[in-house]
Amino acid sequence: AGEACPYVNGTSISVCLSGYYSLSGWTSCLKCSAGTYSPSSGSDECFVCAEGQHSTNGSSSCSWCSNGYYSGRNSESCSICSAGTIGHVPAGDNCTYCPEGTYSGAGETLCHACNEGYYSEEGWDNCTLCPAGMYCADGYPPEECSEGSFSVSGFTSCTPCPAGHQCESVASSSMSECRLGYYSLSGVMNCTECGSGRACPFKNGSSICDCVAGEYAVSGSTSCLVCGSGTYSSSSRSTSCTTCD
């Protein structure tokens, strides 16, 4: 074994070179097939290349796959890791998906973080702009803005609708100031009319007060009015005054 014996008279016997092999009684040495190797002369077998390696016919050793490539056992060649995955260093028999918030091109060994305001799912080859009405923190997939807040495309967080304003929608930064006699608190999308018998002097909802006895206010008032001569109100939060008997 490990030799070639071409003639029955025992002449011209030769030892198989590395990358070749023979069994007992063979007249010639054979090349190790692709994906295998024999490291030394006189071999009677070829060994299988491991994962992440490859070889061509007649190889005396296996070669590692280049970074960003992979192979299974007994491989003649390596395959490139597809976009959205990365290869191992040293190479292995598979590639790993890039996690959420990252991406990669084909044949890479590192995943890249998405830019601020963009996001990706697992195994993506690029990042996508975060949609309006949602936020994308640290490149992770979008989450909806909570009630009373809004965002536009590319936001990493949602913004509460400011006090004293009415916000158009969860997916728009458009807003308008509350009218006189209306108010809103921070984180509320719509303005509320000041209730009857109350005074709402500021649009941000601060200093709202109940009218006291002797005063009155209709809904949407910014101040309480004093009952006129010959009229009265005997309780707080009155909406009108009563004529004296």
Side-chain angles (χ1 to χ4, degrees), residues 136-152:
C136 303
D138 299 321
Y140 287 102
E143 295 190 43
E144 291 185 0
C145 292
S146 59
E147 186 176 351
S149 63
F150 67 89
S151 75
V152 295

Side-chain angles (χ1 to χ4, degrees), residues 102-125:
T102 66
Y103 71 98
S104 73
E108 297 200 59
T109 57
L110 292 174
C111 298
H112 311 287
C114 292
N115 290 331
E116 188 172 284
Y118 286 73
Y119 75 96
S120 72
E121 302 276 4
E122 181 184 69
W124 280 20
D125 62 355

Side-chain angles (χ1 to χ4, degrees), residues 160-187:
C161 187
H165 292 78
Q166 178 168 304
C167 294
E168 185 176 290
S169 76
V170 71
S172 172
S173 59
S174 296
M175 64 184 73
S176 57
E177 194 173 359
C178 294
R179 293 183 292 162
L180 285 174
Y182 286 71
Y183 70 94
S184 72
L185 304 178
S186 176

Side-chain angles (χ1 to χ4, degrees), residues 47-110:
F47 303 97
V48 173
C49 291
E51 295 91 346
Q53 299 181 341
H54 67 102
S55 72
T56 55
N57 291 332
S59 294
S60 60
S61 64
C62 298
S63 301
W64 283 101
C65 295
S66 300
N67 290 344
Y69 286 72
Y70 70 97
S71 72
R73 285 171 51 83
N74 197 28
S75 292
E76 179 178 8
S77 61
C78 302
S79 300
I80 191 170
C81 289
S82 60
T85 69
I86 54 171
H88 304 282
V89 180
D93 63 349
N94 57 34
C95 304
T96 301
Y97 285 113
C98 287
E100 295 177 341
T102 66
Y103 71 98
S104 73
E108 297 200 59
T109 57
L110 292 174

Side-chain angles (χ1 to χ4, degrees), residues 191-217:
C191 299
T192 301
E193 187 178 26
C194 191
S196 55
R198 312 187 82 190
C200 304
F202 301 108
K203 297 175 181 180
N204 64 4
S206 63
S207 303
I208 295 176
C209 62
D210 294 338
C211 296
V212 297
E215 297 178 334
Y216 74 100

